[in-house]
Amino acid sequence: MNTDRVLSLLGLAKKAGKVVSGEFSVEEAVKKGTAKLVLTAEDASGNTKKLFTNKCAFYKVPYMTCGTKETLGRAIGNQFRASVAVTDEGFRDAIVKLLNQGGSLHGQKENL
């Protein structure tokens, strides 16, 4: 399943120091332009999804949903995470490619 591969890539990106997590940190990365891709959990609150949908559209950052809060958190070594930002273009491209194969793309496909 592609979601498992995406979560594995997130773990590698975290070890490489290319992941920011948590609502405040992700929002800051989007505003500063360091976020190359924002992922939110499918079970994140409507307010969280709306916040990142709007921010990512405004700042032209690709946005997708993937996994649950528990699986996103576990992938990067935390308990729960509703949002993460990937700050590396190589990891972004690999994750987007996997999610496109599974048909899980939501949001800003045209910005890639």
Side-chain angles (χ1 to χ4, degrees):
M1 179 176 217
N2 286 339
T3 302
D4 293 337
R5 292 178 69 196
V6 167
L7 296 173
S8 293
L9 276 174
L10 274 179
L12 289 173
K14 176 68 174 179
K15 287 182 181 182
K18 303 296 182 183
V19 170
V20 177
S21 66
E23 187 172 321
F24 178 77
S25 298
V26 172
E27 185 177 358
E28 190 174 298
V30 170
K31 288 179 181 177
K32 287 182 177 180
T34 58
K36 307 300 180 199
L37 171 67
V38 173
L39 295 172
T40 59
E42 293 169 0
D43 60 347
S45 72
N47 287 340
T48 298
K49 289 179 182 179
K50 182 178 179 190
L51 169 75
F52 288 114
T53 300
N54 293 340
K55 290 281 183 204
C56 290
F58 182 80
Y59 288 98
K60 297 185 179 7
V61 176
Y63 166 81
M64 299 179 176
T65 57
C66 177
T68 64
K69 290 188 281 189
E70 182 181 358
T71 59
L72 273 181
R74 197 171 353 142
I76 60 170
N78 294 9
Q79 190 172 10
F80 296 102
R81 280 294 182 256
S83 58
V84 297
V86 177
T87 60
D88 180 77
E89 292 177 0
F91 281 113
R92 176 203 62 197
D93 294 344
I95 291 168
V96 168
K97 182 178 178 182
L98 287 171
L99 289 175
N100 282 337
Q101 288 174 355
S104 300
L105 179 65
H106 302 282
Q108 305 293 318
K109 180 178 180 179
E110 65 277 358
N111 292 333
L112 298 177

